[in-house]
Amino acid sequence: MTGFATIDFETTGLFPTKHDRAIEVAVVHSDPDGRITGRWETLINPGRDLGAQRIHAIRAADVLRAPTFADIAAELVDLLSGRVVVAHNASFDQRFLLAELDRIAYWAPQFDPLCTMRLARDILPGAGRSLADCCAAFDIDLTGAHRASVDAFATAQLLEAYIASTSDWSGWACALAEAQPWTPHDAPRLAWFSRDDVSSDEPADFLERITVKLPEHAGPAEHQDYLALLDRCLIDRHLSISEADALVAAAESLGISRDTAARLHDDYFAALTAIAWADAVLTDAEIADLTAVAALLRIPDARLALALVAPDVEAPVAVAAFALEPGDQIVLTGEMTRPRVEIEAELIARGFVPKSAITKKTKLLVAADPDSLSGKARKAREYGVAVVGESWLAGLH
């Protein structure tokens, strides 16, 4: 089939030949007249942090179960083969495409993509070069920009509008005539995984994933190990996908059943309740804290309501709580909302020691995204170092 293949990548940054990676790709097929005939998209797990997440709005949790570029390369090659590759600011997408293909030792044939941004200089003089400006000139919807499927679809519609308005231009036919077939990539193929495929399940649903075991064979020591991990996971009152997975894995390895895990969650909540009521006063902050933990651990509403009225009569099971002390080493990872030097100065002022690398002496990793795929985050989980989101820093004020 001849025609056009419009592509768009979302990436971790701007430099594919250094360390930035593709994290989403979309392809839109069009026939020689520009009419759209097919659409594909997938998230890509880059095996590193996701860069400026405020731009592309992709979370680490979204790509944890997404395929790698190597997993989707064979189908991507098929989608581009024999077609004219099109993109808006095509040099950017071409650089990322070739860099990713180079990493898996696939060498694409030489091709010159059509760039709808450059074509705008002749077709839309004075209209501006951005995709939004060009789309506005033809009243093409761009709602949800910076999602690869949205940008690629809008660019393909822009291409169709260009062709319709310059039907006598020989450049379209020349480009189609020069399109070459690509050598098929012989590699395993995984299903493409779009943002729409991301599970809407809350991380707190991890309890349902713990096996119902009979008979129970975990004892007090295993229970304390599980509670200690639970406490580390809830430091920032946020349960990431990675932390939920870790709790499921811990329950399985420790021989803890789903019913026992639910009881341990209740014990943990009872301990927090007792601490909150220790001074006989429950502040708004303590109420919010208990409510947040109850939601994460699926504590019944009736149990929460009772905790907010009066402390438990019986003494709760003791839990070794996570605590930071002066001199503890803290590492940062990811693009924070504030300058990193400002955060590090704040940590130093409170007696902590900011470090640039994860070691077994690290007490805490603060991540821009608590599900971060950065090397630091992977190493922290390997060492059992607690990982919290940037929101944890607000508690330092």
Side-chain angles (χ1 to χ4, degrees):
M1 292 291 293
T2 186
F4 301 93
T6 300
I7 63 171
D8 185 80
F9 281 103
E10 295 299 322
T11 67
T12 61
L14 304 175
F15 306 104
T17 56
K18 294 184 179 179
H19 60 278
D20 285 318
R21 302 295 302 272
I23 55 176
E24 187 177 38
V25 64
V27 180
V28 179
H29 277 182
S30 306
D31 68 16
D33 294 322
R35 290 185 293 264
I36 292 171
T37 59
R39 299 172 65 181
W40 297 263
E41 65 172 312
T42 185
L43 291 165
I44 301 170
N45 187 330
R48 53 148 290 177
D49 72 274
L50 297 176
Q53 290 172 271
R54 68 184 184 280
I55 296 175
H56 50 65
I58 296 173
R59 306 170 304 163
D62 298 334
V63 302
L64 281 176
R65 292 166 176 78
T68 65
F69 186 85
D71 296 326
I72 60 99
E75 184 169 355
L76 180 59
V77 165
D78 289 350
L79 291 173
L80 300 181
S81 181
R83 291 179 175 269
V84 179
V85 177
V86 182
H88 197 82
N89 190 12
S91 63
F92 174 86
D93 295 280
Q94 183 182 32
R95 288 198 305 273
F96 268 92
L97 173 62
L98 294 178
E100 291 288 359
L101 290 172
D102 185 61
R103 288 189 181 95
I104 61 169
Y106 178 89
W107 290 274
Q110 255 192 327
F111 67 97
D112 293 318
L114 280 179
C115 179
T116 53
M117 182 182 75
R118 291 186 179 181
L119 288 170
R121 290 181 298 188
D122 297 320
I123 299 174
L124 297 171
R129 294 186 301 172
S130 73
L131 181 58
D133 287 336
C134 294
C135 286
F138 288 102
D139 201 22
I140 295 171
D141 181 43
L142 193 56
T143 304
H146 295 298
R147 173 171 173 165
S149 62
V150 171
D151 291 354
F153 185 54
T155 302
Q157 292 177 84
L158 186 60
L159 172 69
E160 183 178 11
Y162 282 1
I163 293 174
S165 61
T166 60
S167 56
D168 58 343
W169 183 49
S170 61
W172 307 117
C174 290
L176 289 166
E178 293 174 2
Q180 302 177 53
W182 292 32
T183 302
H185 182 49
D186 184 18
R189 299 170 182 243
L190 289 187
W192 285 30
F193 182 90
S194 77
R195 297 195 201 195
D196 296 332
D197 297 320
V198 174
S199 173
S200 60
D201 293 341
E202 293 291 331
D205 290 336
F206 74 93
L207 185 60
E208 298 302 316
R209 292 159 48 201
I210 296 177
T211 305
V212 178
K213 292 187 176 72
L214 191 69
E216 176 74 39
H217 60 273
E222 288 80 8
H223 295 174
Q224 285 298 319
D225 287 346
Y226 180 84
L227 286 169
L229 175 60
L230 182 66
D231 190 62
R232 289 202 302 274
C233 290
L234 296 183
I235 294 169
D236 56 352
R237 298 307 187 244
H238 170 82
L239 191 63
S240 70
I241 297 293
S242 299
E243 290 167 338
D245 288 348
L247 286 166
V248 173
E252 295 298 312
S253 65
L254 294 170
I256 291 173
S257 71
R258 187 184 304 169
D259 287 344
T260 299
R263 178 173 60 78
L264 292 173
H265 294 175
D266 191 76
D267 289 344
Y268 181 84
F269 183 74
L272 288 182
T273 302
I275 292 170
W277 278 103
D279 58 357
V281 176
L282 205 60
T283 66
D284 289 345
E286 289 168 334
I287 291 173
D289 190 51
L290 290 174
T291 302
V293 172
L296 290 170
L297 299 184
R298 293 294 190 261
I299 301 296
D301 291 343
R303 178 79 174 82
L304 171 62
L306 181 63
L308 299 181
V309 172
D312 290 341
V313 176
E314 297 181 2
V317 174
V319 179
F322 178 92
L324 287 172
E325 298 178 353
D328 280 343
Q329 297 181 10
I330 297 177
V331 176
L332 307 177
T333 186
E335 185 172 320
M336 305 288 185
T337 58
R338 292 188 291 151
R340 187 166 293 194
V341 291
E342 177 184 314
I343 296 173
E344 291 179 343
E346 191 173 274
L347 293 173
I348 292 171
R350 284 160 176 75
F352 305 124
V353 181
K355 290 287 186 177
S356 59
I358 291 287
T359 69
K360 292 183 178 180
K361 294 182 179 180
T362 305
K363 188 64 177 289
L364 189 69
L365 174 69
V366 181
D369 184 330
D371 273 309
S372 175
L373 301 174
S374 72
K376 290 179 182 178
R378 291 198 301 272
K379 187 60 70 175
R381 295 181 187 113
E382 178 185 330
Y383 290 159
V385 174
V387 180
V388 299
E390 185 184 357
S391 60
W392 173 85
L393 295 169
L396 294 177
H397 294 301

